[in-house]
């Protein structure tokens, strides 16, 4: 006989708690909804709409910016999600490259993005560059060349790749434009800041937001040795979990552990993180003092020295 279907439903009721936790505990006031960590592409269109609505409703007057990821394999669905984001009052939309029938050159990708952006012309539009997951290797620097002529609402880039040459050239060649250059590889953020990143979007900020903020503040005041010790501290944790096998499922387990908010299991094809992973991650967080010292104010780095 067939095994019963495991129904992984979205628990909308924890989103309000999640907002308060990010703001109060981690000092995070901008969110990127329905992206990789939120398993946006594993959700149905109606689920994505409901998740977006809940974040916008619960985040009102608490969060500064709510950007909704509206990328999809289908242009029609992407446009529908973009229009919906505009209707509910989101602050921006982001789109990944379609990754099954792929755009093989810059013009094809721009044409796709342009049609999505046109469905919500008043919303700031961000391209979400994540070649390791999409397999679309069109360089971001190439894509940005003249992009505002084609997409007037273009505001910036979420760059989730380790190619700092490409990232640096995005910044260098667009200095006269007020683009947002949001970096998405958390363990390399300091390098990207030196290259001119204007912000960061990443999964670890859910639970290491406060520590990352300390790094950003040190960087702002040009205290680079302090900024580096913060980055190394974050790297120690990420390096440890990467060796154990670190992905979206594991991120959810760590987030549950640190925040006390039940993030629940992932949806298939992902599998729930193992107990062994969670125990190891918890021990590492404690040894680095992330579970207790995240409450410390200022730059006390004793735990990580």
């Amino acid at each position: 006989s067939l095994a019963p279907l495991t129904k992984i439903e979205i628990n909308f009721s924890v989103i309000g708690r999640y907002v308060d936790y990010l703001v109060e505990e981690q000092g995070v006031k901008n969110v990127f909804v329905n992206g990789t960590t939120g398993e946006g592409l594993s959700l149905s269109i109606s689920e994505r709409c409901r998740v977006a609505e809940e974040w916008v409703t619960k985040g009102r007057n608490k969060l500064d910016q709510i950007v909704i990821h509206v990328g999809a394999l289908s242009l029609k669905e992407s446009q529908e999600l973009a229009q919906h984001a505009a209707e509910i009052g989101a602050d921006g939309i982001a789109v990944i490259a379609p990754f099954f029938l792929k755009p093989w050159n810059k013009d094809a990708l721009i044409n796709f993005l342009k049609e999505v952006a046109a469905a919500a012309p008043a919303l700031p539009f961000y391209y979400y560059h994540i070649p390791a997951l999409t397999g679309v290797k069109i360089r971001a620097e190439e894509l940005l060349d003249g992009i505002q002529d084609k997409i007037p609402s273009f505001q910036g880039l979420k760059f989730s790749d380790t190619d700092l040459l490409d990232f640096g050239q995005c910044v260098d060649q667009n200095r006269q434009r007020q683009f947002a250059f949001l970096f998405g590889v958390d363990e390399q953020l300091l390098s990207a800041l030196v290259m001119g990143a204007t912000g960061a979007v990443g999964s670890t900020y859910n639970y290491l937001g406060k520590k990352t903020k300390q790094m950003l503040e040190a960087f702002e005041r040009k205290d680079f040795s302090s900024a580096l010790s913060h980055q190394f501290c974050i790297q120690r944790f990420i390096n440890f979990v990467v060796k154990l096998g670190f992905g979206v499922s594991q991120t959810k387990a760590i987030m549950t552990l640190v925040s006390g908010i039940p993030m629940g299991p992932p949806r298939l094809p992902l599998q729930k993180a193992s107990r062994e992973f969670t125990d190891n991650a918890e021990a590492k967080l404690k040894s680095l003092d992330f579970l207790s010292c995240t409450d410390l104010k200022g730059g006390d780095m004793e735990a990580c020295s």
Side-chain angles (χ1 to χ4, degrees):
S1 66
L2 287 171
L5 289 172
T6 34
K7 287 194 84 167
I8 303 291
E9 298 296 345
I10 298 169
N11 183 356
F12 295 97
S13 68
V14 300
I15 293 174
R17 272 175 73 192
Y18 196 165
V19 169
D20 291 340
Y21 162 81
L22 287 176
V23 173
E24 292 159 22
E25 303 296 322
Q26 297 297 343
V28 169
K29 297 202 76 179
N30 303 286
V31 297
F32 188 94
V33 175
N34 286 337
T36 305
T37 309
E39 296 175 75
L41 286 151
S42 297
L43 306 182
S44 70
I45 297 301
S46 65
E47 284 177 321
R48 287 174 72 169
C49 289
R50 279 192 63 198
V51 169
E53 277 165 34
E54 193 65 18
W55 274 96
V56 169
T57 307
K58 293 294 191 290
R60 202 165 277 131
N61 305 324
K62 290 180 181 177
L63 297 169
D64 294 338
Q65 281 205 73
I66 301 167
V67 175
I68 311 292
H69 172 247
V70 301
L73 294 182
S74 152
L75 175 61
K76 277 260 204 266
E77 289 185 347
S78 211
Q79 289 173 320
E80 197 183 310
L81 290 165
Q83 217 173 334
H84 177 263
E87 283 162 9
I88 63 175
D91 300 293
I93 52 173
V95 174
I96 60 168
F99 54 85
F100 184 70
L101 297 174
K102 295 179 177 61
W104 285 117
N105 60 31
K106 170 192 160 171
D107 292 338
L109 178 52
I110 291 268
N111 286 337
F112 181 88
L113 299 175
K114 180 180 157 185
E115 292 292 326
V116 180
L123 279 191
F125 181 88
Y126 301 87
Y127 172 57
Y128 179 2
H129 179 66
I130 185 158
L133 286 183
T134 61
V136 176
K137 309 276 195 238
I138 297 159
R139 294 181 80 239
E141 168 240 322
E142 198 189 325
L143 191 75
L144 260 51
D145 183 26
I147 195 169
Q148 253 179 344
D149 302 335
K150 311 250 174 43
I151 305 172
S153 57
F154 183 82
Q155 268 311 254
L157 185 65
K158 182 192 172 195
F159 189 97
S160 293
D161 189 39
T162 56
D163 184 349
L164 288 168
L165 169 61
D166 190 15
F167 184 72
Q169 286 307 290
C170 286
V171 178
D172 185 36
Q173 293 176 29
N174 294 282
R175 285 173 189 273
Q176 69 285 18
R177 296 177 186 85
Q178 292 294 296
F179 289 162
F181 295 106
L182 310 171
F183 197 68
V185 183
D186 306 9
E187 62 274 25
Q188 293 186 355
L189 177 56
L190 184 57
S191 314
L193 289 170
V194 174
M195 289 268 179
T198 58
V201 183
S203 60
T204 68
Y205 310 134
N206 281 293
Y207 50 88
L208 299 180
K210 201 172 247 187
K211 169 61 71 189
T212 306
K213 241 184 149 170
Q214 291 172 352
M215 182 177 83
L216 292 170
E217 283 160 4
F219 182 80
E220 283 291 304
R221 55 173 195 271
K222 298 189 168 36
D223 178 356
F224 300 126
S225 71
S226 191
L228 187 59
S229 61
H230 288 306
Q231 179 71 92
F232 281 159
C233 196
I234 290 162
Q235 279 195 349
R236 277 174 215 171
F237 177 70
I238 295 177
N239 195 45
F240 178 78
V241 290
V242 161
K243 287 175 184 171
L244 296 176
F246 186 51
V248 169
S249 314
Q250 289 72 23
T251 294
K252 285 193 154 69
I254 293 168
M255 178 59 176
T256 300
L257 186 75
V258 177
S259 68
I261 301 169
M263 290 291 144
R267 181 171 282 178
L268 287 166
L270 298 182
Q271 303 282 339
K272 193 167 178 267
S274 70
R275 189 61 224 242
E276 186 192 8
F277 172 88
T278 312
D279 290 346
N280 278 319
E282 181 173 21
K284 191 67 173 176
L285 285 165
K286 281 182 175 149
S287 77
L288 292 170
D289 242 15
F290 282 148
L291 278 179
S292 51
C293 89
T294 42
D295 299 326
L296 291 177
K297 298 283 177 277
D300 177 23
M301 280 299 296
E302 284 313 301
C304 247
S305 57

